[in-house]
Structure formats: structure tokens, C-alpha cells
Amino acid sequence: GESVGLHLPTLSVQEGDNSIINCAYSNSASDYFIWYKQESGKGPQFIIDIRSNMDKRQGQRVTVLLNKTVKHLSLQIAATQPGDSAVYFCAELNQGGKLIFGQGTELSVKP
Amino acid sequence: SAVISQKPSRDICQRGTSLTIQCQVDSQVTMMFWYRQQPGQSLTLIATANQGSEATYESGFVIDKFPISRPNLTFSTLTVSNMSPEDSSIYLCSAGGQRVLGYTFGSGTRLTVV
């Protein structure tokens, strides 16, 4: 039979605008976090990471913010482009060295 | 960072049969992992592939259903055994263990069981 999957949260932005994607993580002891971008038919692609001793890290057009008090991560994409359309996942590294993924957000960029 | 080759990229299989997925990394890595991604969902960790010993499985996944091999530091296989339509999913291999480089993923195997 046909299975019905859960629908990912969707964020729709206009080309050129800034995007903010949010993520809540579960383990207060996690000390390393990664944001991934997954395009249709491809595996997750590393975007940026951050350690728990930092609250902000910047890359090219992307910034990750970490709030350990409320166990929250965000990914900011500046001047969003159509090529940024994808599903974005946050992931936390647990003490066993395993990467545990969050729910994911689908970003849609309107030209 | 490491480059991962995964094959097959996709397959359509009959229920009751088994499929073995291969994962080749272009450099020696400390840790290799297998994930499942069901349609429209996030990635769920199946197991950690340990070099030279039995894989470590996450809750809900068992060795009889998903036997894993890792004969060396660059190669691993995942077998999906006695398949049913519920096993239709994307299976992904990942390698990592060096925090500076992050964790890299293969392009995945899209499995459809009919």
C-alpha cells in the first residue's frame, strides 16, 4: 500500500531576502552541531558547523547561531538565491560520536 | 573532506529478497554510519559500522534485518534483508569522526520494494 509521510515545515522567501531556519535540539550535553543542505535526489551536503563553546559562526552568506540555554540553533542565509532551494537539516553530535538529525525545513525561493 | 561513493544509486526489488548496498570512502575514516530516510522525513540512524567487529544498532533496528559489514577503514556494506514495501526508503552512508571536517554523506540508495 501507499505510505503517507510527514510533511516537512516549509519556508518560502523572495529571492534576495534573508532566510532564517530554526531548529531545536534535544540533548543539552551535545557539543557540536552541523547544518546540512539536501537537494532532491542527493545526499546531505555540509554547510557549516559550530561547537558549543561558540554562540555564532559565519561562513559565506551563512551564519549559524547557537543558544544553549534554550537548546536552539538557527541558520541564516543572506541574499537568498534560487539555488538555495532545498531541505535544510540541523544535526547534533552526541557523546557516542553519532550524528542525530532534526526534523528538517524545506526552503523555497521565489524568483 | 572525504568523498563517498555509494551504489547502487537506486533499485526496485521484489518483496522477500535482499539487497546489499556498498559504501566506499576515498580515505581512511574513523567512523562510518548507515541512515534511513523515509519519504518526506528526516534521517534516522540505523547503525554504526565498526571496523573489524559487529555493528552497533540503534533502537528499532536489528542485525538480522540490516546486517552490516566493515572489513576495513574505507568500505562498508548494508544489507536490507527479506524486504517488504515498508523498507522502501533512501539509505545513506556517512563517514566522519574528525570534527574539523564534519561528517560527509554519500548520495544515497533509493530503494523501492514491490
Side-chain angles (χ1 to χ4, degrees):
Chain A
E2 197 172 4
S3 64
V4 178
L6 297 173
H7 292 287
L8 293 169
T10 301
L11 174 65
S12 185
V13 301
Q14 203 71 38
E15 180 178 0
D17 287 351
N18 296 335
S19 302
I20 300 176
I21 300 170
N22 296 303
C23 176
Y25 64 93
S26 57
N27 189 345
S28 57
S30 295
D31 62 355
Y32 180 62
F33 305 88
I34 305 175
W35 277 100
Y36 287 93
K37 173 186 181 183
Q38 187 177 29
E39 296 173 291
S40 181
K42 298 183 179 180
Q45 177 187 1
F46 176 95
I47 301 174
I48 191 168
D49 59 359
I50 189 168
R51 300 174 194 265
S52 60
N53 61 353
M54 306 170 68
D55 53 20
K56 180 179 180 179
R57 189 163 189 228
Q58 289 184 292
Q60 186 178 12
R61 279 202 308 120
V62 295
T63 300
V64 55
L65 299 178
L66 173 62
N67 185 331
K68 294 182 288 294
T69 303
V70 295
K71 295 189 288 186
H72 184 268
L73 277 167
S74 67
L75 177 70
Q76 301 177 1
I77 304 174
T80 313
Q81 303 168 0
D84 295 327
S85 294
V87 178
Y88 290 81
F89 294 99
C90 69
E92 60 183 299
L93 190 70
N94 70 10
Q95 292 94 323
K98 303 173 188 178
L99 209 55
I100 306 301
F101 279 74
Q103 180 184 18
T105 297
E106 182 172 7
L107 176 65
S108 175
V109 182
K110 296 175 288 186
Chain B
S1 57
V3 175
I4 297 177
S5 301
Q6 193 174 330
K7 59 180 181 181
S9 58
R10 58 178 62 232
D11 207 342
I12 300 173
C13 300
Q14 296 291 323
R15 68 177 68 199
T17 63
S18 297
L19 176 71
T20 296
I21 303 167
Q22 298 181 4
C23 178
Q24 179 74 55
V25 190
D26 70 344
S27 59
Q28 293 185 343
V29 289
T30 308
M31 305 184 80
M32 293 182 74
F33 305 92
W34 288 97
Y35 287 81
R36 181 174 72 185
Q37 186 176 26
Q38 295 179 307
Q41 297 191 33
S42 186
L43 284 75
T44 301
L45 181 63
I46 297 172
T48 303
N50 300 310
Q51 193 263 329
S53 64
E54 195 170 281
T56 306
Y57 290 84
E58 298 300 307
S59 176
F61 298 96
V62 295
I63 187 171
D64 290 347
K65 177 66 176 178
F66 298 103
I68 288 170
S69 78
R70 189 176 174 193
N72 55 51
L73 292 176
T74 64
F75 185 79
S76 179
T77 67
L78 168 75
T79 299
V80 186
S81 303
N82 188 23
M83 289 183 284
S84 67
E86 290 71 33
D87 295 319
S88 297
S89 193
I90 299 172
Y91 293 86
L92 294 143
C93 171
S94 174
Q98 298 180 34
R99 294 185 174 192
V100 174
L101 300 179
Y103 284 60
T104 307
F105 282 81
S107 55
T109 297
R110 185 177 294 271
L111 171 62
T112 302
V113 183
V114 297

